[in-house]
Amino acid sequence: MSARSEMRVPVWHYDGQSGVRQARELVVAAQGFFLSGAGGETGPFAFADLIPHGRTDGYPQYGLRKMPGWRIGFTDAPPAELAGLLPGKRGYGRLIDKVGLWPAVGVFVALSAVILWLLVTTPPMLVRMIPQSIEKQWGAAMIGDFGGRTCTAATGTAALAKLAGRLGARDMDVRVVDVPIVNAVTLPGGHIMLFSGLLDEAESPDEIAGILAHEMGHVRNRDVLESLVRQLGLSMVLAGADGSVGGYTNALLSASYSRATEARADGFALDRLHAVAIPTAATAGFFRRLAKVEMSLGGAGALLGYMSSHPLSAERMRLFEQGARPGTTASLDANEWTALRGICSQRAAAKERGFQF
Amino acid sequence: MEEQASGARAFEFHGTWREFAPIAFTNLLLTIVTLGIYSFWARTRERQYLWGQTRFIDDRLEWTGTGGELLIGYIIALVVFGIPLGALNFVVQALAMQGHDGGAALLIIVIYLALFFLFGVAVFRALRYRLSRTFWHGIRGGSDAQGFGYGLTHLWKTWVGGMALGLMVPWAMTGLWNQRWNAMSFGPHAFTSDADWRPVMGRYLLYYLAPILLVGGGVVFAAMFAPTRAQGTREEVMQSIAVAAAIGYFIFFVVLGLIAIVFYAAYFREVVSNLSLADLDFRFEARTWDWFKLMIGNFFLVVLTLGIGFIFVGYRNWAFFIRHMNAFGTLDLDSFTQSTTRRPGQGEGLLDAFDVGAF
């Protein structure tokens, strides 16, 4: 100890108060070290409070905990005896330096895998814990009267009710809204909306029956709520990821899960159509026409199918074609079909609106 | 004791690719395996290296920020601004679905204004944070302002700048730069900035008029090829039109991008060269061609490495910035005392939330 207490090593020093660089000597003492120079002695300081601050001209420099701006730096390699007391060089971060880079990478990979696995598996469990009544309230809040765009022609509504009834969707809110896009959506709480563009595009009521049955699958499986919960979780966790890494992971994970739920809803639709003896061939025809549109996009079709949220239409067409069985009856007769297609000749009374856009 | 910033360049960058590469690659690895959370520490390590390899007059800069600070700043920004904005977005959708279009539109306008305000605050606070974590001679920078006033100016100046068909954008940009830097200080000295919009207006007009000239030129070009219609089949004509449109589109954006560099080079020279700290006057000396080389270099660096080269872009940008920075004048070190500005507790979270780059 006595030898150490006499060790004096020249350092440069900033005290953090003035910008003038001072020449000092670092004096090692039993309780740490002092800095001595023309202006007297400061200290004692603990070696444990030193923070490595990289190197200047090859020699290390240090800051001091809780003393911003305080610096010492060596002008030569510190003697071995002193070097043992100085903290090591600045690394990857406190936690990682403790265990080493590669063990840390291993731990992080394992943890990330667990987190991602939880994120994609817990939403169904969470969703089961949300009561149906609350889901209904959310759905009702979202949908309202859909801005007076709900189609309400009497004979069309009767035809729609008959179709929904036959498929077993009496407890769901099935409606047609006057929006010219070829699609249907399901909102939380059993609200199914068929867009009028779909009715215009469909060639038979059985096509509508197939699509309605598919949406019923989403309602029964509570898919919408599940995907909302999953999306929320994914975006929260991956939000920290810098730009692209998080974005790609998020897109890939959610796309693959939504493909799985779409395939499940297709399975449900097929079972439902069989149960109530509605032909499935018409739905296959609908997907055939969609597939043609996708084919015209060329080789990108396969890639699109892989990345997109729904299975490729050609695949779905085969599913419904192979599912065709004898002894079925059309879902609606010609008159009812005409009525359904004309359902948008009347719409729910629109509310007063501020301005339209 | 006086420090003279003349003769040798006031700023010098000592970094090398070989030294930086291990930092960049381990940063990338750790960022991926932590689902991005390490990016805050990655940024800190990168800055520690870049600052530490930068000499100003007689001593190196030091970056003293930490990854923890950046993470906390990010979480605060997410909770205080991100979640409410997300919720409001949901309300907008619900309002629109229920047919309250007026209410939805009003809310969208409010959100839009709030975002402009917050963006200004974010830029200001990020600059303040960076100065407060940058040390030189053991002395740091900072600001006493919180940035809310700057946020308001950002809101209305961006608005006014965009009016008059965008002709007042240079005026808004230089005005905001001045306001931002005049609120900053280093040690005991305040920065002063008096950049003028007039010197950069000429180049801005070039940028502004280029699309019109390009479209006009494109029409003339197309007209010259029109006679082929007489010989070719309908499909051939359609094909040649498609090819011409693709080429035109490409030229449009490449040329516009080049002219944007022409403007930005002049803008950056103007604003930095009118910045001073006590008796030190700063100067930025990169010409358009230098910026062009930087951009092209970054582009090929990223493209030829299939994106991995992205991890070196920050290094290149910093090296470019320092190599073209200069300063003249003197700094009295005896009166160069520690900054008395409040040291902000957390990092540039709000700016992260907007996903904006460093400079």
Side-chain angles (χ1 to χ4, degrees), chain A residues 211-248:
Chain A
I211 287 152
L212 185 53
H214 171 94
E215 297 302 326
M216 285 168 60
H218 284 315
V219 174
R220 286 279 179 262
N221 297 327
R222 303 181 84 181
D223 287 334
V224 181
L225 207 55
E226 191 184 311
S227 83
L228 279 176
V229 172
R230 176 175 294 124
Q231 203 51 47
L232 192 69
L234 276 176
S235 55
M236 291 269 268
V237 167
L238 296 174
D242 226 3
S244 44
V245 179
Y248 291 141

Side-chain angles (χ1 to χ4, degrees), chain A residues 14 16-17 19 71 92 112 141, chain B residues 33 38 59 62 98 137 336 338:
Chain A
Y14 291 128
Q17 294 309 310
R71 295 284 178 279
Y92 303 102
S112 301
Chain B
V33 300
Y38 188 76
D59 205 354
E62 269 192 284
Q98 295 194 4
H137 275 245
F336 191 59
Q338 190 55 279

Side-chain angles (χ1 to χ4, degrees), chain A residues 271-294:
Chain A
D271 290 347
R272 206 82 283 273
L273 293 175
H274 288 152
V276 299
I278 290 177
T280 62
T283 311
F286 177 78
F287 286 127
R288 183 176 304 122
R289 295 202 302 280
L290 261 191
K292 253 181 211 156
V293 178
E294 281 170 17

Side-chain angles (χ1 to χ4, degrees), chain B residues 85 108-123 147-148 150-160 162 176 350 354:
Chain B
L85 280 174
I108 287 173
I109 292 171
V110 169
I111 292 175
Y112 193 67
L113 291 179
L115 281 177
F116 262 97
F117 170 73
L118 286 175
F119 188 82
V121 175
V123 168
F148 296 117
Y150 180 80
L152 280 180
T153 317
H154 182 264
L155 176 62
W156 77 260
K157 279 206 174 167
T158 310
W159 191 255
V160 172
L176 285 167
L350 196 52
F354 284 108

Side-chain angles (χ1 to χ4, degrees), chain B residues 302-321:
Chain B
V302 172
V303 170
L304 296 180
T305 57
L306 300 176
I308 291 176
F310 177 75
I311 58 178
F312 289 102
V313 167
Y315 172 94
R316 281 198 56 149
N317 288 350
W318 179 263
F320 170 83
F321 176 67

